[in-house]
Every structure is written in structure tokens, then in C-alpha cells.
Amino acid sequence: MSAVLHAEQLTRRLAGTVPVTLIDDVSLEVQRGEFICIMGPSGSGKSSLLYLLGLLDRPDSGKVWLADEDTSACDDNQLAAMRLAKLGFVFQFHFLLAEFTVAQNVLLPIQRLGRLDATTGAAHAMELLARLGIADQAHKFPSQLSGGQRQRAALARALANDPLLILADEPTGNLDSAATLNVRQLLRNLADAGQTVVAVTHDHEFAKAADRVLGLVDGRHVVGWRP
């Protein structure tokens, strides 16, 4: 396996009268095809760490390498380009655009990146929806889908540009038990097929699908952490 992501001594603080440390000296390496879950108590910094790994926020100190590329010297435009081309995001709330159909939502990042022509891009979007079992929902609007279907659509959108890494923040936090099981299995299947996945979760059953769990307490990586 080869490292898709490497983070070294990440620290993130919020300035103020009483500074708050969100992430404190965290290092990790994610190998290609791994499914990793980040777990910890509420307020432990799980989402903050994910945003640093996903280049949505910058650390106060430390570095993130994405496929051996040091991201610390990148400007905001370069980081945005890397996120579009190399990262896929899934959140607790699907954030699908209500005025677009499911297929159009999946097509948006493909169009933004511009690697594929219109015909090929549309076909790729439909292939992803078929892969996730919701091709029959392609021309519906998000409001017409169940919660589980919307999250599958969000996952298809995250896969649209064939990312190196999928980052998921509580992807099942708004789903019932049946939909949670389905999304968990989809992520496991993706990892088995070679896709790299890092997910924040509070769900112990969900984390059982992961190859390993990274425990976070008070912003620090705790080796051997158990819920």
C-alpha cells in the first residue's frame, strides 16, 4: 500500500481571551484503500481534524501531505483546486442542491473540474448512481428521496471526480438504522474496491466496518482508545 495522506504534528487553536485548542499535535498516515474511523467524546475535535485533513481549514502548526504533495505552501485557490480534484466529501446533512435533480447534483463537480466532455460526464454521473443503486432516482429532486437515498446521492457526488480520498463527517448521523447499515456497507465496499475512506463517527457499530479506529480525546490522538 502507499500513503494517500500524511499529517504531521497538526495543531489548531481558536484565538480569544481564553484560547481554545481544537487539535493538539496529531500525526497520522492513511494508506491507499484503508477505511479509517475517527472516534472520541463529544467536543474532542473529530470534525476539526477532518476539516484539516480535507484542506477546509489550515493548521496553526504542522503539515498535511496529500499524495506526497505538501499542502502547507498552497494558497486558497490551489487548495480549492486540490479539494475538487482529489477529495470527496460527505456530511451528516447531504447538502444536495434542492433546485437540481439528483443526476445534476452529481454532475456539478464533474463540470467544475472540466476533465470530461458533456456526454462523457453525464454518462459517468449515471454510472455512479447505478453503482450506488439509485439510478432510478436520477431525475428526481432531493426532496423526493428518502434520507438514505439522499445520502447515497451525496456519496455519488463525492465520487464524481474519482478522488484519492473520501472524507465523511458523521455520514449516518441523520439516518435510521436500516439506512445507516446501508451507508456503512457502501463505504466498506468502496474501501474493499481500493477507495480510501476517513470517517468521523460516534456510532460504535458503524466503526466496526473500519480497518482501524483513531481515538481522539481533547484534541489529542490517544493510542489504544476504546469507547
Side-chain angles (χ1 to χ4, degrees):
M1 292 191 294
S2 58
V4 168
L5 180 142
H6 175 73
E8 184 175 294
Q9 296 181 304
L10 296 181
T11 297
R12 181 72 172 98
R13 297 185 179 91
L14 293 181
T17 305
V18 180
V20 176
T21 299
L22 301 176
I23 299 298
D24 188 4
D25 195 33
V26 172
S27 300
L28 74 153
E29 190 167 270
V30 182
Q31 303 297 328
R32 189 174 303 277
E34 271 196 299
F35 181 6
I36 296 175
C37 279
I38 301 171
M39 297 190 74
S42 178
S44 61
K46 301 183 295 295
S47 294
S48 296
L49 177 58
L50 197 76
Y51 294 164
L52 292 175
L53 300 179
L55 313 180
L56 293 166
D57 192 15
R58 293 178 183 268
D60 293 299
S61 61
K63 292 184 177 183
V64 175
W65 285 264
L66 188 60
D68 298 324
E69 184 172 357
D70 183 355
T71 66
S72 62
C74 294
D75 62 28
D76 289 347
N77 289 334
Q78 289 171 319
L79 289 178
M82 292 180 76
R83 289 194 300 269
L84 178 64
K86 297 182 178 182
L87 300 174
F89 296 91
V90 182
F91 299 96
Q92 180 175 351
F93 300 99
H94 55 81
F95 294 122
L96 298 170
L97 297 179
E99 65 272 27
F100 292 100
T101 66
V102 169
Q104 289 169 334
N105 269 279
V106 177
L107 191 55
L108 283 172
I110 298 172
Q111 293 172 327
R112 284 187 60 206
L113 187 60
R115 284 179 182 162
L116 305 178
D117 61 46
T119 301
T120 306
H124 181 52
M126 289 302 299
E127 287 167 5
L128 287 170
L129 292 172
R131 181 179 176 188
L132 294 175
I134 53 169
D136 58 337
Q137 309 298 314
H139 303 298
K140 293 183 179 180
F141 291 93
S143 62
Q144 297 174 295
L145 273 59
S146 69
Q149 289 171 331
R150 285 194 289 266
Q151 210 56 331
R152 287 196 198 192
L155 185 52
R157 181 182 57 189
L159 291 165
N161 289 328
D162 299 319
L164 287 172
L165 176 64
I166 292 287
L167 294 156
D169 190 7
E170 297 284 5
T172 61
N174 201 37
L175 301 179
D176 62 26
S177 58
T180 292
L181 180 61
N182 188 270
V183 170
R184 181 183 74 178
Q185 191 58 52
L186 285 171
L187 290 173
R188 179 66 261 172
N189 291 345
L190 286 171
D192 290 341
Q195 178 67 60
T196 310
V197 180
V198 176
V200 163
T201 186
H202 66 276
D203 185 336
H204 303 155
E205 289 301 314
F206 180 93
K208 288 179 180 179
D211 297 307
R212 58 188 172 104
V213 173
L214 185 152
L216 207 64
V217 177
D218 295 331
R220 295 187 65 87
H221 178 200
V222 179
V223 177
W225 179 87
R226 292 290 183 272

